[in-house]
Amino acid sequence: KDSGGEAVADTNSAATREGGEAIIDTALNAWGRVGILVNNAGTVSDADFDGMTAERLTPLVDVHLKGAFFVTRPAWKVMRQRNFGRIVNT
């Protein structure tokens, strides 16, 4: 805030459709629009390949891959309505 920035917190999970929609709703409620989306959500599960299991892989895929989709989808709809928006996937 001291440098002119503003932010709102949202604790919903990007790994679910409902969470992704809620995250975008939080932005819309705060600013009335979404002009840019940076998909940077991620989790870390330290394991070498031998130690990686399906149980450890599932949450990684849910957040890293599904999360990008579930947050982008509602943001895309808003951006299309305004004919403007930028999406960055990291």
Side-chain angles (χ1 to χ4, degrees):
K1 286 185 175 182
D2 292 344
S3 298
E6 190 176 342
V8 293
D10 188 289
T11 60
N12 287 285
S13 173
T16 68
R17 180 183 55 80
E18 297 81 8
E21 290 173 356
I23 291 166
I24 297 305
D25 286 344
T26 295
L28 291 171
N29 290 334
W31 296 293
R33 64 187 174 93
V34 175
I36 187 167
L37 168 65
V38 178
N39 284 310
N40 195 40
T43 60
V44 176
S45 178
D46 293 332
D48 59 16
F49 191 74
D50 288 335
M52 183 57 72
T53 63
E55 291 77 24
R56 291 181 94 159
L57 180 64
T58 298
L60 295 177
V61 171
D62 287 349
V63 173
H64 292 256
L65 180 60
K66 291 181 181 178
F69 176 79
F70 289 138
V71 178
T72 300
R73 189 82 172 139
W76 178 263
K77 290 178 184 177
V78 172
M79 291 175 182
R80 290 285 304 221
Q81 290 171 351
R82 295 180 55 88
N83 292 318
F84 179 82
R86 300 293 185 260
I87 299 169
V88 178
N89 293 308
T90 63

